[in-house]
Amino acid sequence: MPWPLGKESPMTPPMSQISPARITGLYRYPVKGLTPEPLQTARLRVGETLPADRRYALENGPTGFDPAAPVWRPKTSYLMLMRNERLAGFKTHFDDATNMLTIRKDGAIVAQGDLESAEGRATIERFFAAEFADELRGPVRLLSGGGYAFTDLARKVISIINLASLAEIEKLVGATVHPLRFRANLYVTGWPAWQETTLMGETLRIGSARLKVVKTTTRCAAVNVDPDTAARDLDIPPALMQARGNNECGIYAEVIEAGDIAVGDELAVEQPRLV
């Protein structure tokens, strides 16, 4: 029978015995569905994503999105890897100082535009309209909502992948699995496989920042796409479902106390405070 909610299973170590993890990779995704960008450090703010994470999205046909009053829409409203795997074939870079998005194909620049200017957005829209004409439900629109984030969840979160769990997935599918298929913000080592699934509601401390774990991450067909080749070459969610009874890998956490984090920082489960 399932172990009662809120209780620790005999197989689950008490929180005081959970070893700290360590950040080995830190990434943001300025445009939803496009290239991950590695960071060495990041400043976390309460209730926010990583700086510029999912700041923009490519609307796939009209959704009624109003940047003055943004409302969450499901990821199917946008160009994204779950359905548009060819996005992975373009390598992009966003420059914070100029708001310039540069798109490369096979190393050559194929489009470039300032995402905070009408002209720059139009340039990027024309490029994707031409490249994905057969996959569009209507006009492409480069969306920016100011401080809004185009996350898969209707809340601003930080996503975390335990690399030990990823190693178990490699055994399930019988192949090497590139970690960036999972498009997480933080990649960590030091926890046993699937330890993260026991942390719902727990508080994680990274340096001076604190995050509360709020949800496990349900995986869609986007993780089947190789981020280097853009090939849809694996079938990970069904393998997870068959082996574990769910298609979850990773956790989401909300920032509850601001602070700076960096690659190499320890990530520890905080013990409850006595009151």
Side-chain angles (χ1 to χ4, degrees), residues 107-131:
I109 295 176
V110 291
Q112 196 170 45
D114 176 355
L115 300 190
E116 291 300 319
S117 75
E119 181 180 358
R121 288 193 297 273
T123 297
I124 300 301
E125 289 165 354
R126 285 193 298 270
F127 173 78
F128 283 101
E131 287 289 334

mmCIF file of all heavy atoms in Angstrom, residues 107-131:
data_model
loop_
_atom_site.group_PDB
_atom_site.id
_atom_site.type_symbol
_atom_site.label_atom_id
_atom_site.label_comp_id
_atom_site.label_asym_id
_atom_site.label_seq_id
_atom_site.Cartn_x
_atom_site.Cartn_y
_atom_site.Cartn_z
ATOM 1 N N GLY A 107 26.903 27.201 -37.511
ATOM 2 C CA GLY A 107 27.925 28.185 -37.182
ATOM 3 C C GLY A 107 27.752 29.553 -37.805
ATOM 4 O O GLY A 107 28.395 30.527 -37.383
ATOM 5 N N ALA A 108 26.889 29.679 -38.809
ATOM 6 C CA ALA A 108 26.702 30.964 -39.498
ATOM 7 C C ALA A 108 25.485 31.688 -38.941
ATOM 8 O O ALA A 108 24.456 31.067 -38.635
ATOM 9 C CB ALA A 108 26.525 30.735 -40.992
ATOM 10 N N ILE A 109 25.577 33.006 -38.811
ATOM 11 C CA ILE A 109 24.442 33.806 -38.341
ATOM 12 C C ILE A 109 23.373 33.841 -39.428
ATOM 13 O O ILE A 109 23.640 34.210 -40.568
ATOM 14 C CB ILE A 109 24.881 35.237 -37.979
ATOM 15 C CG1 ILE A 109 25.845 35.215 -36.783
ATOM 16 C CG2 ILE A 109 23.666 36.105 -37.667
ATOM 17 C CD1 ILE A 109 26.399 36.571 -36.408
ATOM 18 N N VAL A 110 22.148 33.437 -39.046
ATOM 19 C CA VAL A 110 21.045 33.424 -40.014
ATOM 20 C C VAL A 110 19.969 34.456 -39.672
ATOM 21 O O VAL A 110 19.124 34.777 -40.511
ATOM 22 C CB VAL A 110 20.418 32.022 -40.118
ATOM 23 C CG1 VAL A 110 21.388 31.045 -40.773
ATOM 24 C CG2 VAL A 110 19.975 31.500 -38.747
ATOM 25 N N ALA A 111 19.989 34.987 -38.466
ATOM 26 C CA ALA A 111 19.043 36.044 -38.084
ATOM 27 C C ALA A 111 19.543 36.703 -36.814
ATOM 28 O O ALA A 111 20.227 36.074 -35.993
ATOM 29 C CB ALA A 111 17.638 35.481 -37.874
ATOM 30 N N GLN A 112 19.183 37.978 -36.661
ATOM 31 C CA GLN A 112 19.620 38.740 -35.496
ATOM 32 C C GLN A 112 18.651 39.890 -35.279
ATOM 33 O O GLN A 112 18.270 40.567 -36.241
ATOM 34 C CB GLN A 112 21.038 39.261 -35.714
ATOM 35 C CG GLN A 112 21.756 39.733 -34.477
ATOM 36 C CD GLN A 112 23.224 40.003 -34.770
ATOM 37 O OE1 GLN A 112 23.565 40.626 -35.784
ATOM 38 N NE2 GLN A 112 24.104 39.538 -33.908
ATOM 39 N N GLY A 113 18.228 40.106 -34.037
ATOM 40 C CA GLY A 113 17.306 41.199 -33.795
ATOM 41 C C GLY A 113 17.215 41.574 -32.330
ATOM 42 O O GLY A 113 17.380 40.713 -31.446
ATOM 43 N N ASP A 114 16.963 42.843 -32.053
ATOM 44 C CA ASP A 114 16.730 43.369 -30.710
ATOM 45 C C ASP A 114 15.310 43.002 -30.294
ATOM 46 O O ASP A 114 14.341 43.491 -30.872
ATOM 47 C CB ASP A 114 16.925 44.890 -30.730
ATOM 48 C CG ASP A 114 16.606 45.553 -29.396
ATOM 49 O OD1 ASP A 114 16.146 44.869 -28.456
ATOM 50 O OD2 ASP A 114 16.801 46.789 -29.306
ATOM 51 N N LEU A 115 15.173 42.135 -29.283
ATOM 52 C CA LEU A 115 13.861 41.628 -28.911
ATOM 53 C C LEU A 115 13.001 42.645 -28.171
ATOM 54 O O LEU A 115 11.822 42.388 -27.930
ATOM 55 C CB LEU A 115 14.009 40.356 -28.063
ATOM 56 C CG LEU A 115 14.724 39.190 -28.735
ATOM 57 C CD1 LEU A 115 14.587 37.926 -27.900
ATOM 58 C CD2 LEU A 115 14.214 38.965 -30.153
ATOM 59 N N GLU A 116 13.573 43.792 -27.840
ATOM 60 C CA GLU A 116 12.779 44.850 -27.205
ATOM 61 C C GLU A 116 12.443 45.968 -28.184
ATOM 62 O O GLU A 116 11.921 47.011 -27.776
ATOM 63 C CB GLU A 116 13.508 45.403 -25.988
ATOM 64 C CG GLU A 116 13.600 44.410 -24.831
ATOM 65 C CD GLU A 116 12.226 43.967 -24.331
ATOM 66 O OE1 GLU A 116 11.318 44.818 -24.224
ATOM 67 O OE2 GLU A 116 12.050 42.757 -24.041
ATOM 68 N N SER A 117 12.715 45.749 -29.468
ATOM 69 C CA SER A 117 12.326 46.727 -30.480
ATOM 70 C C SER A 117 11.375 46.066 -31.471
ATOM 71 O O SER A 117 11.475 44.860 -31.744
ATOM 72 C CB SER A 117 13.544 47.261 -31.234
ATOM 73 O OG SER A 117 14.032 46.305 -32.163
ATOM 74 N N ALA A 118 10.429 46.842 -32.006
ATOM 75 C CA ALA A 118 9.465 46.301 -32.972
ATOM 76 C C ALA A 118 10.176 45.757 -34.206
ATOM 77 O O ALA A 118 9.823 44.693 -34.732
ATOM 78 C CB ALA A 118 8.458 47.380 -33.361
ATOM 79 N N GLU A 119 11.189 46.483 -34.663
ATOM 80 C CA GLU A 119 11.928 46.062 -35.859
ATOM 81 C C GLU A 119 12.666 44.749 -35.604
ATOM 82 O O GLU A 119 12.655 43.834 -36.434
ATOM 83 C CB GLU A 119 12.919 47.151 -36.279
ATOM 84 C CG GLU A 119 13.712 46.797 -37.523
ATOM 85 C CD GLU A 119 14.688 47.899 -37.912
ATOM 86 O OE1 GLU A 119 14.709 48.945 -37.242
ATOM 87 O OE2 GLU A 119 15.441 47.693 -38.882
ATOM 88 N N GLY A 120 13.313 44.654 -34.445
ATOM 89 C CA GLY A 120 14.057 43.442 -34.121
ATOM 90 C C GLY A 120 13.151 42.237 -33.971
ATOM 91 O O GLY A 120 13.471 41.139 -34.456
ATOM 92 N N ARG A 121 12.020 42.422 -33.302
ATOM 93 C CA ARG A 121 11.072 41.311 -33.155
ATOM 94 C C ARG A 121 10.543 40.868 -34.518
ATOM 95 O O ARG A 121 10.390 39.671 -34.786
ATOM 96 C CB ARG A 121 9.922 41.711 -32.236
ATOM 97 C CG ARG A 121 10.327 41.828 -30.770
ATOM 98 C CD ARG A 121 9.110 41.921 -29.876
ATOM 99 N NE ARG A 121 8.318 43.112 -30.127
ATOM 100 C CZ ARG A 121 8.528 44.292 -29.550
ATOM 101 N NH1 ARG A 121 9.530 44.432 -28.680
ATOM 102 N NH2 ARG A 121 7.763 45.328 -29.822
ATOM 103 N N ALA A 122 10.278 41.835 -35.396
ATOM 104 C CA ALA A 122 9.769 41.505 -36.728
ATOM 105 C C ALA A 122 10.785 40.674 -37.511
ATOM 106 O O ALA A 122 10.417 39.750 -38.243
ATOM 107 C CB ALA A 122 9.425 42.778 -37.486
ATOM 108 N N THR A 123 12.071 40.991 -37.361
ATOM 109 C CA THR A 123 13.112 40.231 -38.042
ATOM 110 C C THR A 123 13.101 38.775 -37.585
ATOM 111 O O THR A 123 13.174 37.843 -38.410
ATOM 112 C CB THR A 123 14.499 40.847 -37.767
ATOM 113 O OG1 THR A 123 14.543 42.174 -38.304
ATOM 114 C CG2 THR A 123 15.608 40.010 -38.389
ATOM 115 N N ILE A 124 13.010 38.574 -36.281
ATOM 116 C CA ILE A 124 12.999 37.212 -35.748
ATOM 117 C C ILE A 124 11.713 36.489 -36.150
ATOM 118 O O ILE A 124 11.742 35.291 -36.496
ATOM 119 C CB ILE A 124 13.143 37.241 -34.217
ATOM 120 C CG1 ILE A 124 14.455 37.922 -33.805
ATOM 121 C CG2 ILE A 124 13.042 35.836 -33.642
ATOM 122 C CD1 ILE A 124 15.697 37.264 -34.363
ATOM 123 N N GLU A 125 10.602 37.190 -36.153
ATOM 124 C CA GLU A 125 9.326 36.582 -36.554
ATOM 125 C C GLU A 125 9.360 36.121 -38.005
ATOM 126 O O GLU A 125 8.885 35.021 -38.335
ATOM 127 C CB GLU A 125 8.198 37.588 -36.329
ATOM 128 C CG GLU A 125 7.898 37.829 -34.863
ATOM 129 C CD GLU A 125 7.050 39.069 -34.620
ATOM 130 O OE1 GLU A 125 6.782 39.811 -35.610
ATOM 131 O OE2 GLU A 125 6.666 39.317 -33.465
ATOM 132 N N ARG A 126 9.924 36.953 -38.876
ATOM 133 C CA ARG A 126 10.007 36.570 -40.301
ATOM 134 C C ARG A 126 10.861 35.320 -40.473
ATOM 135 O O ARG A 126 10.541 34.442 -41.290
ATOM 136 C CB ARG A 126 10.576 37.728 -41.128
ATOM 137 C CG ARG A 126 9.586 38.861 -41.355
ATOM 138 C CD ARG A 126 10.093 39.818 -42.428
ATOM 139 N NE ARG A 126 11.343 40.465 -42.067
ATOM 140 C CZ ARG A 126 11.419 41.622 -41.418
ATOM 141 N NH1 ARG A 126 10.302 42.253 -41.055
ATOM 142 N NH2 ARG A 126 12.590 42.169 -41.138
ATOM 143 N N PHE A 127 11.929 35.234 -39.713
ATOM 144 C CA PHE A 127 12.810 34.069 -39.825
ATOM 145 C C PHE A 127 12.065 32.788 -39.454
ATOM 146 O O PHE A 127 12.087 31.808 -40.209
ATOM 147 C CB PHE A 127 14.036 34.245 -38.921
ATOM 148 C CG PHE A 127 14.895 33.027 -38.852
ATOM 149 C CD1 PHE A 127 15.764 32.715 -39.891
ATOM 150 C CD2 PHE A 127 14.817 32.168 -37.761
ATOM 151 C CE1 PHE A 127 16.551 31.565 -39.843
ATOM 152 C CE2 PHE A 127 15.598 31.016 -37.712
ATOM 153 C CZ PHE A 127 16.467 30.714 -38.752
ATOM 154 N N PHE A 128 11.392 32.777 -38.320
ATOM 155 C CA PHE A 128 10.701 31.561 -37.887
ATOM 156 C C PHE A 128 9.463 31.284 -38.732
ATOM 157 O O PHE A 128 9.100 30.116 -38.937
ATOM 158 C CB PHE A 128 10.361 31.637 -36.403
ATOM 159 C CG PHE A 128 11.543 31.382 -35.516
ATOM 160 C CD1 PHE A 128 12.219 32.433 -34.915
ATOM 161 C CD2 PHE A 128 12.003 30.092 -35.319
ATOM 162 C CE1 PHE A 128 13.318 32.197 -34.113
ATOM 163 C CE2 PHE A 128 13.112 29.842 -34.523
ATOM 164 C CZ PHE A 128 13.774 30.900 -33.912
ATOM 165 N N ALA A 129 8.831 32.316 -39.231
ATOM 166 C CA ALA A 129 7.684 32.106 -40.121
ATOM 167 C C ALA A 129 8.109 31.366 -41.382
ATOM 168 O O ALA A 129 7.394 30.489 -41.886
ATOM 169 C CB ALA A 129 7.042 33.439 -40.478
ATOM 170 N N ALA A 130 9.290 31.700 -41.894
ATOM 171 C CA ALA A 130 9.785 31.033 -43.096
ATOM 172 C C ALA A 130 10.274 29.621 -42.792
ATOM 173 O O ALA A 130 9.997 28.675 -43.533
ATOM 174 C CB ALA A 130 10.915 31.855 -43.723
ATOM 175 N N GLU A 131 10.994 29.461 -41.691
ATOM 176 C CA GLU A 131 11.593 28.163 -41.366
ATOM 177 C C GLU A 131 10.566 27.123 -40.942
ATOM 178 O O GLU A 131 10.749 25.932 -41.160
ATOM 179 C CB GLU A 131 12.632 28.343 -40.251
ATOM 180 C CG GLU A 131 13.910 29.019 -40.694
ATOM 181 C CD GLU A 131 14.758 28.126 -41.589
ATOM 182 O OE1 GLU A 131 14.626 26.884 -41.473
ATOM 183 O OE2 GLU A 131 15.542 28.661 -42.388
#
